[in-house]
Amino acid sequence: MEEIKRLLKVRMRQKARKPDFRHPYAHTKLRLRDKSWRRPKGLHSKWRERYGGKWSGRILVNIGFGSPKAVRGLHPSGYEEVLVYNVKDLEKVDKERQAIRIASCVGMKKRLAIEEKAKELGIKVLNPTQR
């Protein structure tokens, strides 16, 4: 567990230093400004070739920007996230390693029932209702 905590801190430091990778043409097309990273594939793309112009300071996504393998995909609290839709789904959750996130499509009545049962079982809820 101590190793996991240490690696989570390492991941947090790495993410703070990592540039925010934007779509290659996010500066020209308004519809691309919020889109995720896509590798530049153009035949004459200077960004793909990594030289010249306004791209010289830009960084392509590389393997070195990844987080430690042991904590990849974990919540910052160190738990593995499990999406829950109903009370029955709580039976499959391991309370030592996993925490639940209640799906957004779940209504208030069922959400309160899930939270009550999770509290009873000692399972951490990542998105509890604001009371």
Side-chain angles (χ1 to χ4, degrees):
M1 194 62 189
E2 291 300 316
E3 181 66 13
I4 297 285
K5 284 183 181 179
R6 187 186 70 78
L7 289 174
L8 283 169
K9 284 183 182 178
V10 167
R11 182 179 75 175
M12 197 166 60
R13 252 182 284 131
Q14 278 181 335
K15 283 192 175 228
R17 293 183 60 211
K18 177 181 69 74
D20 50 330
F21 299 110
R22 296 171 58 216
H23 194 284
Y25 299 100
H27 67 288
T28 59
K29 299 283 187 192
L30 211 58
R31 66 175 178 257
L32 297 176
R33 73 172 168 229
D34 297 326
K35 298 289 181 190
S36 61
W37 168 257
R38 291 290 181 267
R39 190 179 191 291
K41 294 178 184 168
L43 185 62
H44 305 295
S45 172
K46 289 174 181 60
W47 199 347
R48 179 183 63 80
E49 302 258 333
R50 300 179 185 189
Y51 78 91
K54 60 177 80 168
W55 309 121
S56 58
R58 296 292 175 101
I59 300 168
L60 289 170
V61 173
N62 287 321
I63 204 163
F65 287 110
S67 57
K69 202 169 190 177
V71 292
R72 203 172 293 161
L74 293 184
H75 188 265
S77 63
Y79 289 103
E80 186 183 318
E81 284 189 41
V82 177
L83 197 60
V84 171
Y85 292 93
N86 53 44
V87 178
K88 194 176 177 185
D89 290 343
L90 293 174
E91 296 168 6
K92 302 170 190 168
V93 176
D94 175 22
K95 67 179 181 182
E96 302 299 321
R97 296 183 311 107
Q98 298 173 329
I100 64 166
R101 181 174 299 280
I102 302 170
S104 63
C105 61
V106 175
M108 186 56 74
K109 183 178 175 183
K110 197 183 282 186
R111 174 181 276 275
L112 292 173
I114 291 171
E115 285 183 18
E116 192 67 37
K117 184 72 172 175
K119 191 174 182 181
E120 202 175 285
L121 295 171
I123 299 170
K124 183 176 172 115
V125 181
L126 297 173
N127 59 340
T129 53
Q130 306 299 321
R131 295 181 194 192

